[in-house]
Amino acid sequence: MTTSFTPSKLTMVDSEFQEESKKIRTTTTAKSVKLVKELNVLLDAMEGDKSSEKLTLIKYFANYCKICQRTGLKLEKIAKEYPDVEFMKVESQVFPEKLKTLTSIGVTKFPFVQIYRQGKCVASFSTGPSHMFIRRVRETLDTCEERSGQEWNTFECDFSSEINDNNIARQNIGLTP
């Protein structure tokens, strides 16, 4: 007896598999996003562990921003899907005197996401509309997680100027009272 699969049956099987994978990935941890309230905690998170491949995602937001409010729960959902990534969020009014320094590290609007690896900013972007938030963050995290050691070396060479500018800005933040 032979079993035949039509394209619609294959699609159904594939989508069921994807849903099961998503459930497994989502339930692996009950991790939450840490709210950063101190500048030294933010700088430590950016610096990271130089010997670790671990990524740190930092979302900058403003309480008055409607898009930021809508992306808050979405970030919590994504954090549960990526147990090996450290998730943090920074509210712009926590450091009102340092708001100018946020722009110096590249934060141009809210919500804004930066991803750090081994003390280097490896992704930095405005998330755009809230309906694009999950897809944009997932795509960026997946790209970062899939890079090999050689690809990271090439990336760091290609973007050495931007990485250096971010490092200098972070040092200046730490030095200013």
Side-chain angles (χ1 to χ4, degrees):
M1 180 171 145
T2 57
T3 305
S4 64
F5 286 100
T6 62
S8 63
K9 285 182 182 177
L10 285 174
T11 303
M12 188 176 82
V13 169
D14 186 46
S15 65
E16 287 174 5
F17 175 75
Q18 287 176 351
E19 282 301 312
E20 281 302 310
S21 296
K22 194 182 288 185
K23 285 179 191 173
I24 291 169
R25 193 172 183 180
T26 303
T27 58
T28 54
T29 182
K31 184 174 164 179
S32 66
V33 179
K34 295 178 188 170
L35 178 63
V36 176
K37 295 184 179 183
E38 298 175 16
L39 187 59
N40 63 332
V41 174
L42 176 61
L43 292 171
D44 287 346
M46 290 172 167
E47 198 57 32
D49 182 356
K50 301 269 197 250
S51 63
S52 172
E53 299 291 317
K54 187 174 184 170
L55 299 171
T56 300
L57 182 143
I58 303 170
K59 174 191 166 197
Y60 301 90
F61 70 100
N63 281 331
Y64 59 81
C65 169
K66 296 293 183 195
I67 295 172
C68 298
Q69 293 168 9
R70 286 183 284 230
T71 60
L73 290 175
K74 293 177 182 184
L75 186 65
E76 294 284 342
K77 178 180 179 179
I78 294 171
K80 292 175 184 169
E81 295 175 16
Y82 293 86
D84 295 334
V85 176
E86 184 76 25
F87 286 83
M88 300 185 156
K89 58 187 177 182
V90 177
E91 205 281 315
S92 65
Q93 296 305 307
V94 171
F95 312 118
E97 72 283 354
K98 305 274 187 199
L99 196 53
K100 191 171 21 171
T101 59
L102 288 180
T103 59
S104 74
I105 60 169
V107 178
T108 55
K109 57 176 97 172
F110 302 112
F112 198 87
V113 171
Q114 289 185 324
I115 300 174
Y116 288 85
R117 177 184 173 270
Q118 295 181 343
K120 297 177 180 124
C121 183
V122 296
S124 184
F125 57 92
S126 173
T127 62
S130 62
H131 69 277
M132 298 288 292
F133 182 81
I134 288 179
R135 187 175 89 205
R136 183 96 192 264
V137 171
R138 279 183 183 149
E139 286 174 354
T140 306
L141 284 172
D142 289 344
T143 299
C144 289
E145 286 184 333
E146 292 168 2
R147 280 191 183 126
S148 68
Q150 181 57 41
E151 290 170 321
W152 278 115
N153 291 339
T154 302
F155 174 87
E156 290 177 14
C157 288
D158 291 347
F159 294 96
S160 61
S161 174
E162 290 87 348
I163 290 170
N164 189 44
D165 289 347
N166 182 273
N167 287 339
I168 291 169
R170 289 190 345 240
Q171 289 171 356
N172 290 338
I173 291 172
L175 296 175
T176 53

